[in-house]
Amino acid sequence: MSTLLSSYGYNVTQATLSRDLKMLKTTKVPTDRGTYMYILPDSNTLKDKLLAKGVSSISPNFQSGFISLEISGNIAVIKTRNGYAAGLAYDIDMSNAPEILGTIPGSDTIFAVLREGVTKEEAIEAFGKMLPLDKKHHYK
């Protein structure tokens, strides 16, 4: 990627580029062509590209990658689109929600540990501040 930037007149090292991408909270996600692309939080770039290709109905959860939330005891399991879990887990951790001790992301699943004594309703309310929860379809 630094080579590509260099061709546009931006000379940066890979280390600088990696730090900058981390600071911007970008997420590397797979594309349907078997390659990868970076997306920014709250960015509509990917959505705009799909709309330009004629995809007319995109779920409001498409950009965040969020699919579902399920809570069992003091563990919350959050399902995401492939490649979105790390960025979403980072956002959850950075929210410093008192109900959530921390997260462990995979590629499409996040395990979140809830503080002892947090009720399911309190957890849903806390996650509802970070995730596009739809009571009918997204949590159990």
Side-chain angles (χ1 to χ4, degrees), residues 67-126:
I67 295 174
S68 66
L69 166 68
E70 196 161 340
I71 299 170
S72 177
N74 73 327
I75 302 283
V77 177
I78 301 164
K79 295 288 187 176
T80 70
R81 293 180 63 240
N82 190 32
Y84 284 74
L88 194 51
Y90 177 83
D91 291 343
I92 292 168
D93 288 336
M94 294 308 291
S95 75
N96 293 315
E99 298 86 355
I100 304 166
L101 285 173
T103 63
I104 302 170
S107 61
D108 64 359
T109 305
I110 302 167
F111 287 115
V113 179
L114 305 173
R115 287 195 191 280
E116 202 158 322
V118 171
T119 66
K120 188 173 185 177
E121 291 76 22
E122 291 169 333
I124 290 168
E125 185 177 333

Side-chain angles (χ1 to χ4, degrees), residues 18-89:
S18 295
R19 257 193 322 273
D20 290 348
L21 288 170
K22 184 177 180 179
M23 184 186 71
L24 291 170
K25 299 180 186 177
T26 60
T27 303
K28 187 177 182 179
V29 296
T31 67
D32 56 355
R33 286 177 251 137
T35 60
Y36 291 90
M37 68 181 282
Y38 289 92
I39 60 169
L40 294 167
D42 301 323
S43 165
N44 286 322
T45 305
L46 189 56
K47 185 176 179 180
D48 291 346
K49 283 182 182 179
L50 289 173
L51 289 172
K53 289 182 180 181
V55 179
S56 58
S57 62
I58 298 174
S59 158
N61 301 328
F62 182 82
Q63 188 60 36
S64 72
F66 172 75
I67 295 174
S68 66
L69 166 68
E70 196 161 340
I71 299 170
S72 177
N74 73 327
I75 302 283
V77 177
I78 301 164
K79 295 288 187 176
T80 70
R81 293 180 63 240
N82 190 32
Y84 284 74
L88 194 51

